[in-house]
Amino acid sequence: MHTVAVQFLDQGFHRVLFNAMPMPVFVVDHDVSILEYNTAAAGFLGQEKKAVLRKRGGEVLNCLHAQETPHGCGHSSVCSDCVVRKAVGSAFRGRAVTRRVAAMELLTQGKTSKVSLRVTTQPVQYDQQQFVLLILEGLND
């Protein structure tokens, strides 16, 4: 399933459009696992692609709550209220989310910081499979 998204985005013109977006954009699955991402997201993440792909968004972004349980992103008691997870779930049910405000607590080098985001999700179907585009504005502000 994961290779379909990558193959689709590796096509020349589609890749150029995807990378031209100035905000971090991710292609995710139902569990908010990252299947692909654009250049703006790569610049923010600063990690090698193999360290990011197929990992959950909260784990890659260093969400404080993803580290509260050994099961990671999506399993903490506060994850049920996560705006990112709710938006992705809504998109998988066919309802796009536009610029919903979210506050994330990120843990970077042992320090906690609060980040305000605008979360947008859009369901995408390709080759009889469903994916979600997750756009996180504010990550690179």
Side-chain angles (χ1 to χ4, degrees):
M1 175 170 99
H2 301 301
T3 57
V4 174
V6 173
Q7 289 173 353
F8 172 70
L9 291 172
D10 281 343
Q11 297 174 14
F13 185 64
H14 294 110
R15 173 58 71 182
V16 169
L17 290 176
F18 189 59
N19 284 330
M21 296 177 168
M23 69 283 290
V25 181
F26 303 88
V27 178
V28 298
D29 66 11
H30 287 85
D31 197 25
V32 196
S33 292
I34 299 171
L35 307 176
E36 187 56 271
Y37 56 92
N38 69 353
T39 302
F44 171 77
L45 296 173
Q47 301 178 45
E48 287 190 40
K49 203 165 204 167
K50 65 182 177 182
V52 173
L53 294 182
R54 297 192 175 110
K55 293 208 172 119
R56 293 182 198 116
E59 292 158 3
V60 171
L61 297 172
N62 297 312
C63 174
L64 178 67
H65 303 295
Q67 299 177 21
E68 291 177 345
T69 173
H71 300 292
C73 178
H75 296 279
S76 170
S77 60
V78 297
C79 293
S80 61
D81 292 327
C82 175
V83 172
V84 173
R85 284 196 160 272
K86 284 183 175 183
V88 168
S90 180
F92 271 108
R93 290 187 300 279
R95 295 185 305 267
V97 172
T98 304
R99 301 188 90 202
R100 186 162 298 150
V101 176
M104 283 187 80
E105 291 181 282
L106 306 181
L107 186 62
T108 309
Q109 298 176 354
K111 296 182 181 179
T112 303
S113 62
K114 292 186 179 187
V115 177
S116 181
L117 302 173
R118 288 169 303 283
V119 178
T120 298
T121 57
Q122 178 65 42
V124 176
Q125 188 165 359
Y126 177 73
D127 198 26
Q128 300 178 352
Q129 295 182 57
Q130 199 171 6
F131 307 96
V132 166
L133 286 180
L134 170 63
I135 302 166
L136 300 176
E137 297 175 82
L139 278 179
N140 51 1
D141 288 350

